[in-house]
């Protein structure tokens, strides 16, 4: 299985968590999932939690959607 040196399954989970928590007003994982669903990405709160903790892969389509929600580039999510 493809894993990072720290055992996580994605590169962007921690960055997504940091960006979500930095939003004003505060955005919960459920609220983020709702925003993603409005643009056609079917993720729930549990999937967001797994992504942020590195326990779930993130597809390229999902990375593009996260970048759109946070108004950042995909490269910024993958750094």
């Amino acid at each position: 299985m493809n894993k990072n040196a720290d055992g996580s399954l994605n590169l962007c989970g921690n960055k997504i968590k940091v960006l979500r928590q930095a939003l004003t007003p505060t955005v919960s994982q459920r609220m983020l999932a709702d925003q993603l669903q409005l643009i056609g990405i079917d993720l729930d709160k549990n999937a967001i939690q797994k992504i942020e903790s590195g326990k779930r892969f993130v597809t390229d389509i999902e990375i593009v959607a996260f970048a759109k929600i946070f108004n950042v580039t995909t490269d910024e999510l993958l750094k």
Side-chain angles (χ1 to χ4, degrees):
M1 182 177 281
N2 297 328
K3 291 185 181 182
N4 290 314
D6 65 3
S8 65
L9 300 177
N10 66 56
L11 295 171
C12 61
N14 190 58
K15 183 72 171 187
I16 289 168
K17 181 178 182 178
V18 168
L19 289 168
R20 177 182 61 78
Q21 292 176 335
L23 291 174
T24 305
T26 304
V27 173
S28 68
Q29 291 172 337
R30 182 174 308 282
M31 292 167 67
L32 178 56
D34 291 345
Q35 289 179 347
L36 288 164
Q37 288 180 3
L38 290 174
I39 62 172
I41 303 299
D42 189 24
L43 292 176
D44 62 15
K45 175 203 168 292
N46 294 329
I48 301 292
Q49 188 277 326
K50 287 179 182 177
I51 289 169
E52 289 183 354
S53 66
K55 296 179 182 175
R56 181 187 178 281
F57 288 106
V58 184
T59 68
D60 54 356
I61 294 167
E62 293 166 347
I63 290 172
V64 169
F66 281 117
K68 183 175 182 178
I69 293 286
F70 295 122
N71 197 31
V72 299
T73 66
T74 54
D75 284 350
E76 288 178 78
L77 289 177
L78 296 172
K79 287 181 184 174

